Amino acid sequence: MSAYHPLSNEEAIVLAKTIPGFFPEDAGLDCREIGDGNLNLVFHIKDPESAKSIIIKQALPYAKVVGESWPLSLDRARIEHEALQVQHRLCPDLVPEVYSYDDEMAFTVMEDLSEYTIMRHALIEGKVFPHFAEHIGTFIARTLFFTSDLAMEPRTKKEQVGRFINPDLCKITEDLIFDDPYRLSVNNNYPAAIEDEAEILRTDTALHLEVALLREKFLTRTEALLHGDLHTGSIFITEESTKVIDPEFAYYGPMGFDIGAVIANLLLNLAAQIGWKQDETDRRSHQSWLLQTSLDVWTRFEAEFRKLWDKHAVDPLAHAPGYQDMYIHKVLQDTAGFAGAKMIRRIVGLSHVADIDTIPDEADRERAQRLALSIGKALIMNCRKIHSITEIDDIVRTAAGNRGGMI
Amino acid sequence: MSAYHPLSNEEAIVLAKTIPGFFPEDAGLDCREIGDGNLNLVFHIKDPESAKSIIIKQALPYAKVVGESWPLSLDRARIEHEALQVQHRLCPDLVPEVYSYDDEMAFTVMEDLSEYTIMRHALIEGKVFPHFAEHIGTFIARTLFFTSDLAMEPRTKKEQVGRFINPDLCKITEDLIFDDPYRLSVNNNYPAAIEDEAEILRTDTALHLEVALLREKFLTRTEALLHGDLHTGSIFITEESTKVIDPEFAYYGPMGFDIGAVIANLLLNLAAQIGWKQDETDRRSHQSWLLQTSLDVWTRFEAEFRKLWDKHAVDPLAHAPGYQDMYIHKVLQDTAGFAGAKMIRRIVGLSHVADIDTIPDEADRERAQRLALSIGKALIMNCRKIHSITEIDDIVRTAAGNRGGMI
């Protein structure tokens, strides 16, 4: 029988004291459970005396989303912890440090980031982060390049593919992103006002073909170890620093999926500005920052990825003339397509984003939803034709212009 | 400590008697070791009284090829045995039956196919097999379709991907097919007379780009459970029946790799006819059968695969209009590219084919080698442009015509 059980606050405190040299032995620790209770328990444990603190994150054996609950493997705690370690090794400044891990109890003890804000909340408040594109572009480039066959001995990479097979969490993505939005499903969740849009998603067979191709890539391409859920709720941020957390969806998949996730969430916030910034000049200027940052994420990724490739590629044919360009081109097309799929699912699918859902005015909210769908569809429908990042700029501006959304 | 050791003939006989209900208890069994000793021991065990017989195949912990020897995981015996079981379940008439398996000792007890001939030997003798394309097309279509995400629940498929991660055997393919032929390598093995061709392979950077793309597919596409080494030496055949054996290279990879392997080996035999059939009319007619059979392998595969897709696809977007055509088109292009890569490596790489190497006349042998390289390169260089199987017909005829090889 497994010893697994959800930790109590008292147990979490006892555990925290076992981290060697972290808290004084006689510290009187405070503990608060700060998780949302949907997938994990998250304990924040602090010594008021020294002000030192840590996080204990424990996986729950189920997932709850919008009232639905289904069983979920605890193995995702191992995957999250191992992915955190890989990512921290490659990007020590951009990933919290892991102090310890317990397989049976499915918890990880890690660095506390209390001084950081969840990026989604900061974006909703209208904040801008001038270093974000540089930070996340570096994170993506380094984690994807160094876990791919470009940089790893193929036998070692295959063992990693095996360690990161993540059927339960991938299934959530497969259903919620690549299936439900395109059919009648009890998992879908959208206001009756946009039923016309939902119907188009269900009946547009040209769109279905593109989604089928993206889904196939998600299912069959072991290009690199992805974060797998790289939205702005998985990013802690300050003006100067960025930390990527929560890689429990990590698995070997197509590189564009991670980059697309970042861009999708910036563009969802861009669409949401309809509801947040009433002054048009102000709104346009903020939307321009969001769009430019989306493009910069790609540009930073590409520059860093090419640099790593030139310097560190071990693949014997990596330096064949033209190969790097073709590889980058493929990742760009995938990025656009996955970004689009991720925008669509956040409007009509089970799980939404607060950027749009918390817009106070109903009519504004609907306009933001329609704009997000319009950009999402345009990204998907054009992804196989894209040759340069500036085309994504055009696609977003055109979709937004047609919708009266911005710029 | 592992109990593994290579079996003696006496031990093999004892084991054979443990197969329930197969041999009479008092049978006086004969045992011969008939393997080539490079990778496996193969015991043929027969009861002269009843004429019943079985095969015991045991993996050796090393590989020997052309005098070289390197360690090799015994786990390949598990992979071979599990792949045989999957393939036998899907194609009972086309795969030998497995009677038992021992993990620690790395052996499989299976159906004896003594009445069959190894297809490569039969082809060298000039035999034709009118049912071969139908049989192998069915084998490929069924094993690839039913092990892919098209037909499997994604979680089950991912578990299978994990079970069939096969780093050691894949590494052999990666090195011998996608690396060594394109650089100076001690593993390469070709006569000085074709050094000019070998140099072109090492210096043709346009070819290197295409090989890099094929290598990437081999490394990163978990489309279906491949046989992984589907040459004519892995096929037992009679006039009426075909059996596919030896799937120790099985892993989840790109579908075109298996189909390409079959076609490559038929075309290698086609090139070899320069040295075997001196009468031109006779040679042309036989080469026409080999080329037509190569095309028929694809056509049978495609027809069967489409039929299975229409009837059994569980992928929720599988019926998006145009998706099946695009999928087949991708597999066709991969088939051409992998066929080409497999032809090239059999001429300049470590491991050759008897079809060409045993041609008695040296000048004929060299002409056959040059023809095989010419067809192989043309298949690789054109693979991303191909839209229909008839283009492969054209590519082969053109390459052969230019080389004075046939038709």
Side-chain angles (χ1 to χ4, degrees):
Chain A
M1 256 185 57
S2 166
Y4 176 85
H5 61 272
L7 291 169
S8 66
N9 281 19
E10 292 68 31
E11 288 173 301
I13 288 175
V14 172
L15 281 172
K17 290 204 173 180
T18 65
I19 309 302
F22 199 88
F23 292 117
E25 263 179 53
D26 58 350
L29 301 182
D30 291 339
C31 178
R32 279 187 312 136
E33 203 285 299
I34 57 171
D36 59 10
N38 286 335
L39 285 160
N40 303 289
L41 297 173
V42 181
F43 300 93
H44 180 256
I45 297 159
K46 187 172 178 175
D47 175 17
E49 199 82 14
S50 66
K52 290 178 80 173
S53 56
I54 57 159
I55 291 291
I56 299 181
K57 178 172 178 182
Q58 183 183 34
L60 290 165
Y62 52 78
K64 277 193 206 159
V65 186
V66 200
E68 297 275 328
S69 176
W70 61 85
L72 211 55
S73 159
L74 290 174
D75 189 45
R76 72 186 194 278
R78 177 191 62 78
I79 287 175
E80 176 170 2
H81 146 256
E82 292 190 9
L84 272 175
Q85 289 194 311
V86 170
Q87 292 162 354
H88 186 267
R89 183 170 52 74
L90 294 170
C91 307
D93 296 340
L94 300 168
V95 177
E97 189 177 348
V98 169
Y99 302 128
S100 82
Y101 166 70
D102 187 291
D103 193 54
E104 197 166 24
M105 290 288 284
F107 68 75
T108 299
V109 187
M110 68 182 103
E111 186 181 354
D112 178 32
L113 301 168
S114 292
E115 69 275 34
Y116 289 72
T117 312
I118 292 174
M119 188 177 182
R120 186 180 306 289
H121 300 164
L123 289 180
I124 291 172
E125 288 167 13
K127 298 222 171 84
V128 298
F129 296 95
H131 303 297
F132 172 67
E134 180 191 336
H135 290 164
I136 205 75
T138 303
F139 172 85
I140 300 169
R142 290 184 63 83
T143 58
L144 299 184
F145 177 80
F146 283 114
T147 60
S148 77
D149 286 293
L150 295 166
M152 287 183 94
E153 202 278 324
R155 279 176 294 200
T156 316
K157 185 257 188 170
K158 286 184 186 69
E159 283 157 23
Q160 289 297 94
V161 171
R163 292 196 71 79
F164 288 103
I165 285 178
N166 197 350
D168 278 10
L169 283 281
C170 284
K171 173 77 174 154
I172 294 176
T173 302
E174 287 148 16
D175 288 352
L176 301 192
I177 300 186
F178 299 112
D179 182 6
D180 294 330
Y182 306 97
R183 63 182 182 91
L184 285 173
S185 165
V186 292
N187 288 335
N188 288 338
N189 170 30
Y190 54 83
I194 61 164
E195 178 57 39
D196 59 323
E197 292 279 9
E199 196 189 341
I200 290 171
L201 294 178
R202 291 198 298 271
T203 54
D204 182 345
T205 55
L207 183 66
H208 291 182
L209 171 60
E210 300 304 324
V211 175
L213 293 170
L214 290 166
R215 184 173 188 274
E216 180 190 322
K217 288 177 184 182
F218 185 83
L219 290 166
T220 63
R221 304 259 168 117
T222 59
E223 290 176 0
L225 179 61
L226 306 188
H227 178 283
D229 193 28
L230 197 46
H231 59 80
T232 48
S234 297
I235 296 168
F236 269 124
I237 200 158
T238 67
E239 185 98 359
E240 295 302 325
S241 173
T242 304
K243 300 272 188 185
V244 178
I245 61 167
D246 287 355
E248 63 201 87
F249 284 75
Y251 87 112
Y252 264 81
M255 296 186 178
F257 190 77
D258 269 2
I259 316 170
V262 178
I263 291 176
N265 280 273
L266 291 168
L267 296 179
L268 283 162
N269 189 271
L270 176 151
Q273 294 309 321
I274 290 176
W276 294 111
K277 299 241 187 235
Q278 300 306 326
D279 177 79
E280 197 182 321
T281 313
D282 194 16
R283 195 190 73 227
R284 283 174 183 241
S285 143
H286 193 58
Q287 286 179 317
S288 287
W289 180 81
L290 288 159
L291 179 52
Q292 189 56 48
T293 301
S294 305
L295 310 179
D296 290 349
V297 168
W298 170 266
T299 307
R300 285 288 184 167
F301 158 77
E302 180 182 341
E304 180 72 16
F305 195 83
R306 286 186 185 274
K307 207 169 67 183
L308 295 172
W309 184 312
D310 291 341
K311 198 166 167 187
H312 299 290
V314 299
D315 185 301
L317 289 165
H319 300 292
Y323 183 40
Q324 188 186 99
D325 288 344
M326 283 188 68
Y327 200 103
I328 297 275
H329 180 208
K330 168 197 71 177
V331 177
L332 176 65
Q333 295 189 333
D334 292 354
T335 294
F338 287 125
K342 280 176 163 275
M343 293 184 74
I344 288 174
R345 76 90 161 220
R346 292 293 191 181
I347 305 302
V348 301
L350 181 63
S351 176
H352 289 203
V353 290
D355 316 48
I356 286 177
D357 275 19
T358 60
I359 291 173
D361 182 79
E362 200 175 316
D364 283 350
R365 197 160 62 240
E366 183 183 328
R367 285 175 60 218
Q369 288 168 329
R370 289 182 184 275
L371 174 55
L373 288 176
S374 173
I375 296 173
K377 281 190 289 183
L379 286 171
I380 292 179
M381 292 307 294
N382 289 288
C383 73
R384 286 191 290 135
K385 299 172 208 144
I386 288 175
H387 283 81
S388 119
I389 185 65
T390 59
E391 291 166 70
I392 293 186
D393 191 34
D394 294 342
I395 289 166
V396 175
R397 286 178 192 275
T398 304
N402 293 343
R403 283 283 172 193
M406 59 162 278
I407 304 177
Chain B
M1 257 188 56
S2 164
Y4 176 84
H5 61 271
L7 291 169
S8 65
N9 281 19
E10 292 67 33
E11 288 173 302
I13 288 175
V14 172
L15 282 172
K17 289 205 173 180
T18 65
I19 309 302
F22 198 89
F23 292 116
E25 263 179 52
D26 58 352
L29 300 182
D30 292 338
C31 178
R32 278 187 313 137
E33 204 283 302
I34 58 170
D36 58 10
N38 286 336
L39 286 159
N40 304 288
L41 296 174
V42 180
F43 299 94
H44 180 256
I45 297 159
K46 186 170 179 177
D47 174 16
E49 199 82 14
S50 65
K52 290 179 78 174
S53 56
I54 57 159
I55 291 290
I56 299 181
K57 179 172 176 181
Q58 183 183 34
L60 290 167
Y62 52 79
K64 276 195 206 156
V65 185
V66 200
E68 296 275 327
S69 175
W70 61 85
L72 212 55
S73 159
L74 290 174
D75 189 45
R76 72 185 194 277
R78 177 191 62 77
I79 286 176
E80 176 170 2
H81 147 256
E82 292 190 7
L84 272 176
Q85 289 193 311
V86 170
Q87 291 162 353
H88 186 265
R89 183 170 52 75
L90 293 169
C91 306
D93 296 340
L94 299 168
V95 177
E97 191 177 347
V98 169
Y99 301 128
S100 82
Y101 167 70
D102 187 290
D103 193 52
E104 197 165 21
M105 290 288 284
F107 68 76
T108 299
V109 187
M110 67 181 103
E111 185 181 354
D112 178 32
L113 301 168
S114 292
E115 71 275 36
Y116 289 71
T117 313
I118 293 174
M119 187 177 182
R120 187 181 306 287
H121 301 164
L123 289 180
I124 291 171
E125 289 167 11
K127 298 220 171 85
V128 298
F129 297 95
H131 303 298
F132 172 68
E134 180 191 337
H135 290 164
I136 205 75
T138 303
F139 172 85
I140 299 169
R142 291 183 63 84
T143 57
L144 298 184
F145 178 80
F146 282 113
T147 60
S148 77
D149 286 293
L150 295 165
M152 287 184 94
E153 202 277 324
R155 279 175 296 200
T156 317
K157 184 257 189 171
K158 286 183 187 68
E159 283 158 24
Q160 290 295 94
V161 171
R163 292 195 72 78
F164 287 102
I165 286 178
N166 198 350
D168 277 10
L169 283 279
C170 284
K171 172 77 174 154
I172 294 176
T173 302
E174 288 147 17
D175 289 351
L176 301 193
I177 300 186
F178 299 112
D179 183 6
D180 293 330
Y182 306 96
R183 63 181 181 91
L184 286 173
S185 164
V186 291
N187 289 334
N188 288 336
N189 171 27
Y190 54 84
I194 60 165
E195 177 58 39
D196 59 324
E197 292 280 8
E199 195 188 342
I200 290 171
L201 295 177
R202 291 198 300 271
T203 53
D204 181 344
T205 57
L207 182 66
H208 291 183
L209 171 60
E210 300 304 323
V211 175
L213 294 170
L214 290 166
R215 184 172 188 274
E216 181 190 322
K217 288 178 185 182
F218 185 83
L219 290 166
T220 64
R221 302 259 168 117
T222 60
E223 289 175 2
L225 179 61
L226 306 189
H227 179 283
D229 194 27
L230 197 46
H231 58 80
T232 47
S234 297
I235 297 168
F236 269 124
I237 200 157
T238 67
E239 185 99 357
E240 295 301 326
S241 173
T242 305
K243 301 272 188 184
V244 177
I245 61 166
D246 287 355
E248 62 201 87
F249 284 75
Y251 88 112
Y252 264 80
M255 296 186 178
F257 190 76
D258 269 2
I259 316 169
V262 177
I263 291 175
N265 280 273
L266 291 169
L267 296 179
L268 283 162
N269 189 270
L270 176 151
Q273 295 309 320
I274 289 176
W276 295 111
K277 299 240 187 234
Q278 300 305 328
D279 177 80
E280 197 182 321
T281 313
D282 193 18
R283 194 189 73 226
R284 281 174 184 241
S285 143
H286 192 60
Q287 286 178 318
S288 286
W289 179 82
L290 288 160
L291 179 53
Q292 189 56 49
T293 301
S294 304
L295 310 179
D296 289 349
V297 168
W298 170 266
T299 306
R300 285 287 183 167
F301 158 77
E302 180 182 342
E304 179 72 16
F305 195 83
R306 285 185 185 274
K307 207 169 68 183
L308 295 172
W309 184 312
D310 292 341
K311 196 164 170 190
H312 298 289
V314 299
D315 185 301
L317 289 164
H319 300 291
Y323 183 40
Q324 187 184 101
D325 288 343
M326 283 188 67
Y327 200 102
I328 298 274
H329 180 209
K330 168 197 70 179
V331 177
L332 176 65
Q333 295 190 332
D334 292 353
T335 294
F338 287 126
K342 280 176 163 277
M343 293 184 75
I344 288 173
R345 75 88 160 220
R346 292 293 193 181
I347 305 302
V348 299
L350 181 62
S351 176
H352 290 201
V353 290
D355 316 48
I356 286 177
D357 275 19
T358 60
I359 290 172
D361 181 79
E362 199 176 317
D364 283 349
R365 195 160 63 240
E366 183 183 328
R367 284 175 61 216
Q369 289 168 330
R370 290 182 184 274
L371 173 55
L373 289 175
S374 174
I375 297 173
K377 282 189 289 182
L379 286 170
I380 293 180
M381 292 308 294
N382 288 288
C383 72
R384 285 192 291 135
K385 299 172 208 145
I386 288 175
H387 283 79
S388 122
I389 185 67
T390 59
E391 291 166 71
I392 293 186
D393 191 32
D394 294 342
I395 288 167
V396 175
R397 285 179 192 274
T398 304
N402 293 343
R403 284 280 172 196
M406 60 163 277
I407 304 178

